[in-house]
């Protein structure tokens, strides 16, 4: 009877081959992790370098900024930030920007929520054409509407007011909000609406207590995009205001004086302009992650 058990040298050879194969796999896996880590580090440095340099400039004097290239402030100063917080022409720019941004978000959401619900739940004549027409408003550049908005607001007395900029931004933000919210609302089964009405819910009560909590991720994503567009938009905000409602983005473009550009103050204003966006992202970060996975975005 023949013994089919491999001889001891064969077992040793196979074990050595398996060990060599395992080491090769580990080497390839380590190499891939190293490359991914290096690429991620390079990307983070590439993204954060301009922000770091902006912070670095905001803590320097103008003479140091215009002098030698330094990786960190040689003489640290907070005078640039002090000027912004003590000069009304600077800090009122932030107040004006936040005011019309919040007004725009409130108006856009109050219009977009019922409009998106109607598009997601009902079918009517021209619904697809109307939805497409809303989206085309997002494709037009803001410069197209500068002249009609300026003449209209100047005639009715809305020029240089917060509501003027808020309403102007609605032209682009409402279609964006409707488009995003409609995708989230369409993912909610219609049977939930019918069940709620059978249980005795009125439509306002059902919409506020049942439906809105189900699409809170979509609302978070929508608020994020509404804030971002209205906060960074400059052309309409600068044209429709002059002194009383001038946004910070417009104030930052007027730092040139007879003695030159105040680079330090301009850099400090840029740093403070980034802060509200970071705060918004922090509060809606979970909704944004979930929204990117589930919604239209």
């Amino acid at each position: 009877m023949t013994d089919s058990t491999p001889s001891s040298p064969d077992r040793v050879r196979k074990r050595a081959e398996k060990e060599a194969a395992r080491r090769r796999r580990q080497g390839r896996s380590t190499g891939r992790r190293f490359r991914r880590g290096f690429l991620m580090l390079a990307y983070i440095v590439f993204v954060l370098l301009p922000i770091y340099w902006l912070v670095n400039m905001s803590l320097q004097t103008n003479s140091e900024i215009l002098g030698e290239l330094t990786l960190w402030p040689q003489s640290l100063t907070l005078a640039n930030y002090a000027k912004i917080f003590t000069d009304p022409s600077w800090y009122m720019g932030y107040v004006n920007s936040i005011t019309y941004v919040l007004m725009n978000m409130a108006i856009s959401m109050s219009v977009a929520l019922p409009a998106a619900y109607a598009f997601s739940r009902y079918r009517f004549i021209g619904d697809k054409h109307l939805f497409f027409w809303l989206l085309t408003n997002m494709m037009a550049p803001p410069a197209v509407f500068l002249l009609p908005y300026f003449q209209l607001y100047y005639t009715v007395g809305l020029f240089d007011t917060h509501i003027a900029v808020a309403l102007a931004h609605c032209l682009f933000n409402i279609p964006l909000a409707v488009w995003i919210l409609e995708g989230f609302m369409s993912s909610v089964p219609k049977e939930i609406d019918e069940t709620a009405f059978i249980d005795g819910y009125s439509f306002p009560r059902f919409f506020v207590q049942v439906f809105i909590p189900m699409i809170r991720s979509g609302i978070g994503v929508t608020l994020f995009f509404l804030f971002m567009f209205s906060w960074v938009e400059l052309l309409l905000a600068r044209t429709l205001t002059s002194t009383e409602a001038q946004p910070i983005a417009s104030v930052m473009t007027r730092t040139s004086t007879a003695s030159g550009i105040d680079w330090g103050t301009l850099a400090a204003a840029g740093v403070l302009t980034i802060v509200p966006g970071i705060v918004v992202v922090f509060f809606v970060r979970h909704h944004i992650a979930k929204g990117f996975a589930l919604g239209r975005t």
Side-chain angles (χ1 to χ4, degrees):
M1 187 170 182
T2 305
D3 187 5
S4 60
T5 304
S7 62
S8 179
D10 292 338
R11 288 199 300 269
V12 172
R13 180 175 54 81
K14 290 182 178 180
R15 191 179 301 116
E17 291 176 352
K18 290 181 179 179
E19 182 66 20
R22 185 182 66 83
R23 290 180 179 177
R24 285 194 298 270
R25 288 195 298 268
Q26 287 182 344
R28 288 195 294 267
S29 178
T30 303
R32 285 196 296 268
R33 287 197 297 268
F34 176 78
R35 288 193 296 270
R36 291 174 182 173
F38 176 77
L39 291 176
M40 181 60 67
L41 178 62
Y43 174 76
I44 293 175
V45 171
F46 178 77
V47 172
L48 295 183
L49 181 60
I51 299 177
Y52 167 75
W53 207 258
L54 186 66
V55 175
N56 181 37
M57 290 177 59
S58 69
L59 300 174
Q60 298 177 356
T61 61
N62 285 328
S63 58
E64 184 177 351
I65 294 174
L66 298 175
E68 296 182 358
L69 180 66
T70 55
L71 298 179
W72 52 82
Q74 301 299 316
S75 55
L76 187 70
T77 178
L78 297 176
N80 299 319
Y81 291 96
K83 180 178 180 180
I84 292 176
F85 287 115
T86 57
D87 188 349
S89 64
W90 277 103
Y91 66 74
M92 284 306 298
Y94 291 98
V95 174
N96 294 332
S97 295
I98 293 175
T99 300
Y100 72 67
V101 166
L102 293 179
M103 293 175 65
N104 173 262
M105 292 170 65
I107 297 172
S108 298
M109 289 301 296
S110 62
V111 174
L113 279 171
Y117 183 84
F119 280 117
S120 67
R121 287 298 189 263
Y122 302 109
R123 294 293 175 264
F124 50 89
I125 298 176
D127 55 347
K128 294 183 179 179
H129 298 288
L130 180 60
F131 191 77
F132 177 76
W133 174 77
L134 283 173
L135 295 181
T136 57
N137 288 334
M138 299 168 54
M139 304 175 189
V144 174
F145 304 97
L146 277 180
L147 182 59
Y149 268 136
F150 178 83
Q151 186 177 18
L152 176 63
Y153 287 161
Y154 194 83
T155 303
V156 301
L158 289 179
F159 179 75
D160 199 19
T161 61
H162 300 105
I163 190 64
V165 183
L167 291 175
H169 287 175
C170 284
L171 180 66
F172 306 96
N173 277 353
I174 288 179
L176 177 65
V178 172
W179 181 61
I180 296 175
L181 291 172
E182 193 273 338
F184 282 91
M185 292 181 179
S186 296
S187 63
V188 178
K190 294 183 179 180
E191 290 75 12
I192 294 179
D193 306 40
E194 300 169 356
T195 303
F197 295 146
I198 292 174
D199 291 341
Y201 279 82
S202 62
F203 179 77
R205 184 185 171 199
F206 156 75
F207 194 74
V208 174
Q209 297 183 3
V210 178
F211 197 74
I212 287 183
M214 297 183 68
I215 60 167
R216 58 182 179 273
S217 297
I219 294 177
V221 173
T222 305
L223 290 175
F224 167 75
F225 281 105
L226 294 182
F227 177 88
M228 284 297 123
F229 173 83
S230 193
W231 181 256
V232 304
E233 199 281 326
L234 174 61
L235 191 59
L236 289 173
R238 183 177 182 180
T239 304
L240 300 177
T241 59
S242 59
T243 55
E244 297 298 325
Q246 192 177 39
I248 184 60
S250 180
V251 176
M252 290 175 64
T253 62
R254 300 180 180 180
T255 57
S256 179
T257 61
S259 58
I261 298 177
D262 190 352
W263 294 106
T265 305
L266 187 60
V271 172
L272 295 176
T273 304
I274 298 174
V275 172
I278 297 176
V279 173
V280 171
V281 172
F282 176 79
F283 282 107
V284 301
R285 64 191 186 281
H286 299 301
H287 297 306
I288 291 176
K290 196 177 298 181
F292 278 123
L294 300 177
R296 286 190 182 273
T297 53

